[in-house]
């Protein structure tokens, strides 16, 4: 896939979903042509199952004389023509996105993401890291990022205040993504709702296999020949949110649980990094329980 | 992996499983050295979880002056020393193996297996093909193989006689493998028991995801990003037998169910062919719900 | 990817390449909207390296009242506006495509392709099979396809008349694709030129590694850890034509050349089937030494 | 694969290569049984092409009453029986291994390896990092590791003293592995010779394709559909040393060189980490231009 990272160019990215009918592409592209927009990337998907149409178009910012705000105003009229169910966003790759990471004790995803941000691979700033254990404070601070430790009571029934504290710490940054980077805590439904479409989890199995706790132990017990990882949006139903990305790695009878844990980490890192990148580049559109990913 | 197919050489293959302790390798290899056995392939696995030891050794038949029967008699004494739980087989790659295929309407696995047998990739003869529909009779007969059509009543409760007929047709060949090549019928428990360790199924999902009917429809509904196939031994619990091999292929939002069916076929064919080949070469040992595969 | 095979619907497929500039998408989609075209699939690519624009659009035939010929005439005016370098085709998935296969002694690709055509996976007819050895006549005829044996002299300098005979046999069918399904003969430059964009080869290595003869032997000697296959258009320079598809499979130190040959066959079949399918569905556009594949 | 990391257990690891004949396994396992050795892992390979035999055996240290030195002395007699060409090592997983990393400006492999060592995934200490540019000093020191900057003259003919300085810095640690983690400098033949079997390079292509400089640019120009990475021992012939590990990732026409660079990094990191881990666990044996990897 092409990426903003691969050129110096700033782009305006239009994402849209609406009921399918003839003439949508013509209407949108006429609009873009009218304002002089040079299309760098364009992707379409007409979903036969749901009768829905999806598109993502990246236009060179320099080719358009309107401000982003003016462009949004003008496009709102086009969107209105496409019907009341139409959902769309128009974003600017020149705007730096903010991410907050929720972690626990396992640091491999955190280490990997911080490294990618430092290397310029992910176009975002890590605004803060919040841990329900203090273990990852040092590695976080080394990267010059704030770390907040929030203590979680053992009794799940008493965790309300802790989640409330997490919520405040996260919302202070109004982030584009809240990443559960092996957070190991199930978000309460109200937080799932509050961060809907922004909370991204990495689950260490190939969902829907091995939902819930200790998936590598479950995989070992079942004797599967591949283990996987799944990056998905968080919803109130555990590990059942729309899947953004998945991948697998081969294991065999010589692999004990500890070997699966070690090898699985490599897949978790890759799958989370890809999923987060696509999310931040507005390449992911959610429709019902599923995603359209214009990677 | 090396294979009997890759040389002209005939081999004796020893497979053994027993409780682990020191000295097993020494005892077995001393025996083989004693009778002059030239080891071409040797694989070992000490399972830390169950405390079980597994080995497979392939020896050049030409290096041994004993007959296979004599070698079995002599080795029985060694096995006895390794304890009463020891299970072992000693087979001859020069003995052509027999396979019976159970099919329904979908012919891709049948076509693929017949092609591989004809090309000498699978060291076996297809003794017969049995279908619960007559659709695949023509392609079977083209390959010079007998086809038996067994009509199955719509009501599952009345299928007993049909299964009894299948059993007789299969058992007439005393096959080394009974392959459910997209058979689409759930074997009754008594047949699972009767063919235990010989009945091999190909399930068109990455188990344990999407057990039962119409797995591609289930995968489509869940929005997974990879679809898979699983080759496993048949047991009484549906799609829960020991897994021999699995693999996956990437899908995305543009793939409708029909696309998944088409792409999935390629994975089903590969996974079944690999699993069957390893079974026929005595590379698979079952232990509890899991397999050791010396591929 | 979606496919004509996955619905009953007939489609008109527009493929176009031209120098990139603003307004191309708008112009084409305005045209399609004007004639009532319901777009089922649309893909675009703006190539930053060459400044070229590519698109493929599939429209429901039933949504358009024009005949294909009328539509072509009307679209020619649009294409003219996009500049003299514009190249385009407009095809009808309702038209059954014709394929001629060139083979030698190895039958796995032939067997696989005939099986896929019979199963309706590839939307084409195999018009004829031509072999420089008679070995594959039987399997070809079993599928009801004509087989022509053309004897090739040992001396490459004397093969002109044989190639001329092949050319006549092929051209009699005016095929959409001439597939070298492990043909093992290097086409003379004039045939490469004559069938440019239609002759498709499967090479049994991951090009550009291991060009020329006996690539598995080369791979074995080098000790690579993956072997591959490459499907590409044939050009006068050996194994250097535009690549349509590639894939690989893992090997290790236990794999002898014969094992690589056997495992490689599975990759050859998959890669050739995918490449041919994309070619027949007008998903491949060649630009210079490279391809754009709207899979 | 099982790993020392997956249990608390200390192991003695025997690696051996010798001309193949009958009785080798018996001789070695008799020796191990004699001294009470509990074999945890055992792997064998008889190479049909070269007539060579390879084995790796991991034994629980706690099961053996001899010291490692005594065990070596006793085993030397066994090895002598196997002939004068026999090569073997006997190592102790309780001995912490030392690694020196050579780097340039690209930090992804360095960041990845330091993270893995910190997480306990790689059983080694990074003794020092040496850069021909100062760019990676900060990230190195953050991990508490010494960084040495060695300035390299532009003229390759004048780099002798710089390489001499690198050699001294490396040899001061007598490391088990010298890792060229995207070092971007071709080692002079005398250093290749000096560190033979210990110097490990990561090359950012699927060798033997795209040897030398700027392999992603070469891959882009050729239009390949997969890009890869290769971990190999360094020898005097550029990018031609024995391959330890390779892997690939899919690319397509939308990927510009910058996208290949970004995606390729993920494969480079994985391939180098796997290759280095197998080297440090004595799982790799070199024979001629090839490796046997008991992973």
């Amino acid at each position: 896939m092409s990426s903003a990272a691969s050129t110096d160019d700033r782009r305006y990215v239009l994402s849209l979903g609406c009921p399918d009918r003839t003439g949508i592409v013509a209407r949108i592209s006429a609009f873009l042509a009218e304002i002089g927009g040079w299309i760098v990337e364009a992707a379409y998907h007409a979903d036969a199952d749901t009768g829905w149409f999806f598109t993502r178009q990246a236009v060179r910012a320099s080719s358009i004389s309107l401000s982003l705000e003016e462009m949004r105003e003008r496009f709102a009229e086009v969107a209105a023509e496409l019907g009341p169910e139409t959902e769309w966003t128009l974003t600017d790759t020149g705007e730096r996105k903010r991410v907050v990471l929720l972690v626990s004790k396992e640091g491999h995803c955190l280490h990997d993401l911080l490294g990618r941000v430092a290397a310029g691979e992910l176009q975002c700033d890590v605004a803060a890291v919040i841990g329900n254990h203090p273990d990852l404070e040092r590695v976080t601070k080394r990267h010059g990022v704030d770390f907040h430790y929030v203590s979680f009571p053992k009794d799940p029934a008493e965790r309300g205040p802790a989640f409330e504290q997490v919520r405040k710490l996260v919302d202070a940054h109004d982030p584009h993504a809240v990443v559960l980077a092996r957070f190991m805590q199930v978000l309460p439904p109200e937080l799932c709702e509050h961060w809907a479409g922004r909370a991204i989890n990495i689950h260490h199995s190939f969902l829907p296999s091995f939902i819930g706790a200790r998936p590598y132990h479950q995989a070992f017990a079942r004797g599967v020949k591949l283990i996987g990882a799944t990056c998905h949006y968080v919803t109130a139903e555990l590990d059942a949110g729309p899947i953004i990305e998945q991948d697998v790695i081969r294991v065999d009878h010589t692999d004990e649980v500890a070997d699966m844990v070690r090898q699985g980490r490599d897949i978790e890192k890759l799958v989370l990094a890809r999923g987060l990148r696509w999310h931040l580049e507005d390449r992911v559109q959610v429709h019902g329980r599923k995603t359209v990913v214009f990677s």
Side-chain angles (χ1 to χ4, degrees), chain A:
Chain A
M1 78 241 48
S2 281
S3 75
S6 67
T7 85
D8 307 326
D9 252 2
R10 191 174 142 204
R11 296 175 192 176
Y12 296 148
V13 176
L14 173 68
S15 288
L16 179 144
C18 68
D20 199 7
R21 63 170 171 82
T22 55
I24 303 174
V25 179
R27 186 67 197 88
I28 294 171
S29 54
F31 167 79
L32 291 175
E34 216 176 286
I35 63 172
W38 181 293
I39 300 171
V40 181
E41 272 189 90
Y44 299 87
H45 174 57
D47 197 68
D49 186 49
T50 60
W52 217 256
F53 173 88
F54 303 87
T55 186
R56 177 187 185 273
Q57 314 216 16
V59 180
R60 278 191 197 153
S62 62
S63 68
I64 293 177
S65 50
L66 302 178
S67 73
L68 188 67
E69 214 32 68
E70 288 167 331
M71 192 175 157
R72 278 187 184 132
E73 270 169 44
R74 295 270 302 268
F75 188 75
E77 295 165 33
V78 177
E81 291 173 32
L82 300 176
E85 293 172 288
T86 303
E87 295 192 347
W88 62 280
T89 60
L90 186 54
T91 58
D92 179 352
T93 61
E95 186 202 8
R96 191 85 177 165
K97 301 214 167 162
R98 291 172 306 283
V99 171
V100 174
L101 307 180
L102 308 187
V103 301
S104 186
K105 289 177 174 179
E106 286 253 29
H108 56 282
C109 285
L110 173 67
H111 180 82
D112 183 71
L113 291 179
L114 291 174
R116 288 175 192 272
V117 171
E121 263 181 58
L122 284 168
Q123 300 297 310
C124 66
D125 293 316
V126 177
V129 174
I130 301 166
N132 69 334
H133 288 278
D135 307 44
L136 300 177
E137 175 158 14
R138 197 160 148 254
V139 59
T140 302
K141 290 198 166 163
R142 263 187 203 163
H143 277 86
V145 173
D146 287 343
F147 183 91
H148 307 278
Y149 165 48
V150 175
S151 175
F152 273 66
K154 281 216 167 160
D155 182 350
E158 294 176 10
R159 289 181 189 157
F163 275 118
E164 184 52 31
Q165 196 182 342
V166 169
R167 174 197 170 113
K168 276 183 191 155
L169 286 166
V170 168
D171 287 356
H173 298 285
D174 188 23
H176 297 83
V178 185
V179 179
L180 285 71
R182 298 296 309 269
F183 183 46
M184 311 305 280
Q185 292 283 337
V186 178
L187 290 193
E190 60 275 14
L191 272 187
C192 296
E193 177 63 28
H194 178 59
W195 291 327
R198 287 188 294 156
I200 292 173
N201 185 46
I202 179 73
H203 184 74
H204 40 312
S205 85
F206 182 76
L207 290 173
S209 289
F210 312 133
I211 287 170
R214 297 164 67 90
Y216 291 126
H217 288 78
Q218 295 183 53
F220 179 80
R222 181 60 186 92
V224 290
K225 300 300 184 186
L226 299 164
I227 54 172
T230 304
C231 177
H232 64 92
Y233 288 109
V234 177
T235 57
E237 189 185 345
L238 183 64
D239 297 331
I243 294 170
I244 306 172
E245 172 64 345
Q246 303 187 289
D247 214 337
V248 294
I249 195 169
R250 193 160 277 272
V251 291
D252 67 24
H253 58 267
T254 66
D255 290 297
E256 300 174 29
V257 171
D259 300 301
M260 290 187 177
V261 168
R262 176 177 48 75
Q263 291 172 274
R265 277 187 202 132
D266 285 336
I267 293 299
E268 293 169 38
K269 290 187 285 188
L270 284 178
V271 165
L272 176 56
R274 277 187 220 137
L276 177 57
R277 186 166 172 274
W278 294 336
H279 171 81
L280 292 173
E281 294 181 6
D282 297 309
R283 294 180 183 279
V284 189
Q285 294 185 41
V286 175
H287 193 64
R289 282 188 68 186
K290 297 166 70 171
T291 62
V292 169
V293 181
F294 290 125
S295 60

